[in-house]
Amino acid sequence: MLLWSAYSLVGGYVLFFSPALMIQEVVVRGESVIPLAEYQNMAEVEMAKSFVGILERRNLFLAPTERITQQIFDRYPKLASVVVRRHFPD
């Protein structure tokens, strides 16, 4: 039981705090009349918040992709489509 608890703690740390699973950059592709930096800024602002006051939303598993998508559509309703994806490290 103790060994399982230790593995769980280490696994949880790796999943939620490891720098390897933190989003390093926001890439915007496509053509738009809206400056690409504005999309990046919207994503960065949302990921700067924390989840439960402890866990960073910059983590690949906690990144609020749906919220970022909705914020972009709310701000720019004339956009045809927006896709926010996670890309796991190689």
Side-chain angles (χ1 to χ4, degrees):
M1 181 70 169
L2 182 61
L3 187 58
W4 186 85
S5 296
Y7 281 130
S8 296
L9 288 173
V10 170
Y13 175 81
V14 169
L15 284 176
F16 297 114
F17 296 103
S18 172
L21 293 175
M22 295 294 170
I23 296 173
Q24 302 299 320
E25 69 177 329
V26 175
V27 177
V28 179
R29 293 189 176 121
E31 294 184 28
S32 179
V33 294
I34 301 155
L36 298 180
E38 192 159 340
Y39 296 120
Q40 290 172 320
N41 185 47
M42 291 174 78
E44 291 289 346
V45 166
E46 196 57 41
M47 289 187 304
K49 299 174 184 176
S50 64
F51 183 75
V52 194
I54 301 170
L55 304 172
E56 294 183 43
R57 288 187 174 184
R58 182 165 289 286
N59 180 284
L60 282 172
F61 298 107
L62 299 176
T65 56
E66 296 85 16
R67 183 160 170 77
I68 294 168
T69 301
Q70 189 59 50
Q71 283 186 344
I72 292 170
F73 270 130
D74 288 348
R75 191 157 183 182
Y76 305 106
K78 293 184 180 183
L79 289 175
S81 69
V82 173
V83 178
V84 177
R85 284 188 276 221
R86 294 175 178 93
H87 177 71
F88 290 93
D90 297 331

